Amino acid sequence: MQFSFSDEQDQFRAIIQRFLREKSPTTEVRRLMATERGYDSEIWRQLAEQLGLPAIHIPEIHGGSGFGPVELCIVMEEFGRYLLCAPYFASSVLATTAIMNGATAAEQAELLPPIASGERIATLAFTEPNGRWDATGVELTADLAGGDYLLSGTKSFVLDGCSAELLIVVAREPGTSGSQGLSFFRVEPDAAGLVREQLQSMDATRKLARLTFTNTPGILLGELGSAAAALSRTLSLAAIALANEMVGGAQALLDSAVSYAKMRVQFGRTIGSFQAIKHKCADMLLEVESAKSAAYYAAQAAADNDSDLPALASLAKACASDAYMHTAANCIQIHGGIGFTWENDTHLWFKRAKSSEVFLGDPSYHRELLMQNREL
Amino acid sequence: MQFSFSDEQDQFRAIIQRFLREKSPTTEVRRLMATERGYDSEIWRQLAEQLGLPAIHIPEIHGGSGFGPVELCIVMEEFGRYLLCAPYFASSVLATTAIMNGATAAEQAELLPPIASGERIATLAFTEPNGRWDATGVELTADLAGGDYLLSGTKSFVLDGCSAELLIVVAREPGTSGSQGLSFFRVEPDAAGLVREQLQSMDATRKLARLTFTNTPGILLGELGSAAAALSRTLSLAAIALANEMVGGAQALLDSAVSYAKMRVQFGRTIGSFQAIKHKCADMLLEVESAKSAAYYAAQAAADNDSDLPALASLAKACASDAYMHTAANCIQIHGGIGFTWENDTHLWFKRAKSSEVFLGDPSYHRELLMQNREL
Amino acid sequence: MAESNNMSNYDEASLRAEVTAWLAANWDPQLSLIDWRTRLTESGWAMPQWPAQWYGKGVSAQLAAVVAEEFAAVNALGVASGGPGRLAAVTILEHGSDAQKAQYLQRILTGEDAWCQLFSEPGSGSDLAGSTTRADFDGSQWLINGQKVWTTSAHHATYGLLVARTDWDVPKHQGLSYFVLDMQQPGVEVHQLRQMNGHASFNEVFFTDARIAADQVLSNVGNGWQVALTTLAHERRLADVLRATAARSKLEGPIYEEERAETAIVMEPYQWYPQRAGRVDLVGARAKSTGAINDPAIRQEIAKLLIMSQTAEWTARRARAAQEHGRPQGPEGSLGKLASSNVARAASHVHTLISGADAMLTGSDSPLDGIIAEILVSVPAISIAGGTDEIQRNIIAERVLGMAKEPRADTGPFRDVPKNTV
Amino acid sequence: MAESNNMSNYDEASLRAEVTAWLAANWDPQLSLIDWRTRLTESGWAMPQWPAQWYGKGVSAQLAAVVAEEFAAVNALGVASGGPGRLAAVTILEHGSDAQKAQYLQRILTGEDAWCQLFSEPGSGSDLAGSTTRADFDGSQWLINGQKVWTTSAHHATYGLLVARTDWDVPKHQGLSYFVLDMQQPGVEVHQLRQMNGHASFNEVFFTDARIAADQVLSNVGNGWQVALTTLAHERRLADVLRATAARSKLEGPIYEEERAETAIVMEPYQWYPQRAGRVDLVGARAKSTGAINDPAIRQEIAKLLIMSQTAEWTARRARAAQEHGRPQGPEGSLGKLASSNVARAASHVHTLISGADAMLTGSDSPLDGIIAEILVSVPAISIAGGTDEIQRNIIAERVLGMAKEPRADTGPFRDVPKNTV
């Protein structure tokens, strides 16, 4: 197991940081989060063409750059730090990973190249209005009707579900339950019987949709009824990617809190010289560093195909969620009244922290998963 | 509902405090906790004769003074504050309450007067080596054999079980389970087939015993098979009494921490002038005051025969347990190295806090009970 | 209120008889709000604890409660309950000149004038006495320059209670003065300030050579901090006042309608305050309706919250009971604010657990038509507004537990004290 | 260690060849411990990083690791690992005169002399530089009066590293001097100090006109704080040394028996240290054997503990990896101690939950023959010993995050600084 990044990985991170510092200042975040689609196509194009980020962990034979989870997580951490508005998590993490895990080689050869190049933005629709984050929550059905599959049911909390140009949908064979009978389907955005509605998300930088399927045609990906394992692997990697995104955000909040505390004067002293603030910051640093350790370790474990991956993914997700929320709350507290204003940027990260806390399952859900998946 | 003590109650408290200040300094606590029996008969005699404390909540017709749960809890709070070594919880809280709730009037008339006068020390044996704190944990059986009941099984964690002169034992009819088939029995300390062994208790001021019964004769109290409700009422009151004992102890620790912090100088300042210590003390005060509110409210509710008593008892027990443990740990922390020494008195309360945390069920057990017993 | 000690000779019976008679003769729900309150203030039954000279009867708090009882019995309205106005009234009553009292008190009580409180500044929040808004006397009047913030109701206030610095060469608490400022003048600019929860309850107020006449200083120049302490001491008692008007929320009749309209305006900035406190009241029903009630881990968190919230309530009642028994209030009073922060945070956590994925939504997509989302983004305010948790802990440790203050870094002439360079 | 910079001309191959040859010729498990270590120290392979003049070879840390590898390959023993002795050695090596080095170093390395560290005092714990033990020069020697505390191994030490105050009229850090004290003299009295967990790992040491010769000051008079910082900087690295001896715990032969006997004495005061850290390793088995593993609420607490403990371990490994890659260590290093307090507290809580009623017991009645009880009464030490959590947070905030220090209240002549009146 590697416990530090290589020089190449550090350089890669520096390149992304330079890009984001320029392209994703909070003025841009605020502009884009107020739009319906939530991102800027031109930035997305640069991200793909200049940096090749959507291609990062896609195999080279499918137009990717063939890097792995560690590099993907470096990208996520920096996106989290700068709150980049882009459909990256939906397309490059969720949909890409689902296709890599669940589709046949031929299907991958068809679907992955346009995703890798950034030309096509995909998403994965798996959660439903019941809000469950695993296979057991899937109720949407796929009926075989004259050689075609017709999907019926509702997906919710679908990331970039309204803007995505390719939908990977998890559906189940009627009459099955649990992890049985699940398959991935691809659905075109203009498919018959598909209604896409934007949900109002608290975190306006993360666009969510409700998708209603009524006898909507879908094309099977991979083998019928065998998506459960692929979905589970996909969700593990997604949780790890999210954990890395969260530690980037938490670090941004910690930096902001510390630098404000060093500058803000009350009672003739910087507030950072008061133990109440000082010790809060020390505790924040410990929590953020711990979450980083978990997120980095899990990313490396994914790269190594570690058999303990589900447990490590849950550990990282639970740890990062708590660290992010605590850091966000403390960052507001340290800023005082100003930290509660719309004008101050803290709330942008606070809302991202809150949505990340529950997205893919909250800390208490993942702690229980950790207990189930880890040998004590 | 009363939210303050009456003048009479305050005077009563002051009398007890005066007694304890004189009779139970920590030098005495240390002397007595090192003895096997754990208390001083002469102090117990004074407690009974001068202050009438064992009689406090026993009805006047049975030789008691006819006060109620509120006065009992005032006594407990002060005993907790001064860590008095005496078999009061065993005899005057557990056994007395069990007899008052579970025995017939005639039996009460026989059993209570010597307890009220302090001549006879009783205890209640209900928990077993399985460590369960409710009726479902009772496995010890009572067999009817020729008009007599013979008890077989093991009780554990019995307060003052080796020194008590009267044992009230909860046993079940063979073949029953849960809250069915439970009865109280009185057993003499020299009964045949009874083996009493002292357990090594971490809190040396609280003597615990394991009692093994092998066809030991017991005399039925109350109606056969109907002890469950009486036991449950007894445990509610015991939890409330313990919560009050705990807030007394927590207050003693808080006082000790604050006065040490005001006196101890480091870096040219009293450590109490540092926010780290100051804010810790403020949080401790909030926690102790909250626990007091719960303990006092529950005591008053017991006096009022409030139908919500089981929920309130659990609330008070859970709240006081957490407050006591946190205060104990913080008190050591504020004292620094000296607080970890045997010579310093803090550990006496720390160990009482730890044993009180789990005695009658830990906070997480009582939080679950609270959820079951309270209408949301 | 030093003057409220001039207790009258009423006993309970005579007082009750007199107020009942007066109400029978004067209370008329057909009157307009202003007409009724004008009659009321002139009678002295408006503020029974106040001196007879100023709209009162000079009676004790206990007897004033008797008056309130009789008013409630016939559903008679009291004086205007607008928050900053009430603060202005008690401050002027205690520190104002007779001319100032005559000028302002009655119109505050009738509700004809709205007020706002100009204390906090961008550079002085926790450190309220660190105010750098300046008041310079030009020989005939005061010129005000600087900025205030967190000013509720500034946009419709007639007057403002202003703390500003009049002397920079003395220690910070000694260089402040307390003014009545006419808000309706060109040198005063009010901007709404939007919060992270989308509401805009507060204002920023900018002063550019705003003018105050020489006779509009309350108490003496340089005594502003002492006057401000009076205002601050009354700040926490407003919740009670607002509770009283709620009791009339179902009565019909023009004067009640008028009062409700007035209350709606006063209450407008506070709409989200219940959410800020965490809405513990919603937890049970939410847990049941979502099925979260069956999750043992969530049950633990709910129980922790209930314990925290119940004990906070009981602690407050212990404090009130002690007061009613004429005993020293004890530490319970000072702890309430800190407790309410803990409760709100725990409630926000529990609402998140219960809501699961729905916690990502807002507006009408969020549970309870957005209430849940509003809780999650409002709770961070409670540990800041009205004195941060950190300041509360200082107060509790120093004033209740008697622990030493920290060495001060802001003594000496205020001019030389390090300040924010906003 | 300034002198360790005189790097030799070894490369890895030549060094490995030489040490292998030397070991082949000299390592003999039949030797007595002292005879072997005498041979070892004289060869320079004892402390390869130390200068050639003083029992070393003047090689880099990387090359020293090569030497350690070859020693491990043939199970050859190193020098004595006794904690305070090692601290004495590095301090004397850096600050001692040649005469002092000649007098003390070799006998420390061979284990012939035991040492103790006389820093903490009853009145100066967190504030180590606030020492009030006095050293007064009578014209020919130093007379020591005062008291130290928390001194491990004082009862069998030959020498003590003493920090005492030699000048009361300068600021506190400038008035200290650092001495080597002969512990075996009438003016030194050692009392064992019992802890709340029943162990007696530490001592109090009382000085009544204890004597120190004039040539036993390390560095200069008044420079004691600088010298003490060297000792403190090495304090944390001892865990590694002790881990190394554990690797030989199963080998047979007289010299290994002798080493184990030595280690047993050195380790005696630390028996309960694993319990102090919370024994996370026991949690899984205990949860299974008691059935607590089936309680969903306890599962949450166990998971929280596992997360805390795993991430603490990974953070430490990140710090080490950064160091190995020659990068700045980053904040990870300073955070370990604070993390270990959190882990220990959480573990104690979880052990209580798992044990239920059994948590009331101790000794052989307590689960795992008393280990569980020992955890519960030992954990409070971890957030105090070696610098309290509060001090750690100060260090992290000031040195890692660069936040400002608090205004100091202990400047000026030490005589006038407020002190404890113990």
Side-chain angles (χ1 to χ4, degrees), chain D residues 252-285:
Chain D
E252 286 176 29
I255 200 168
Y256 298 118
E257 301 295 342
E258 243 192 302
E259 188 191 32
R260 276 194 283 276
E262 181 191 71
T263 306
I265 293 172
V266 171
M267 291 301 292
E268 197 275 333
Y270 306 105
Q271 281 174 63
W272 54 281
Y273 274 35
Q275 278 68 267
R276 184 179 81 163
R279 296 303 299 271
V280 178
D281 58 311
L282 301 176
V283 164

Side-chain angles (χ1 to χ4, degrees), chain C residues 31 85 88 130 134 161 190 298 307 335 352:
Chain C
L31 286 176
R134 51 188 315 135
L161 299 170
V190 176
I298 297 183
I307 293 172
L335 294 166
T352 303

Side-chain angles (χ1 to χ4, degrees), chain B residues 144-156:
Chain B
L144 189 58
D148 272 357
Y149 288 96
L150 297 179
L151 310 188
S152 293
T154 308
K155 293 290 174 183
S156 194

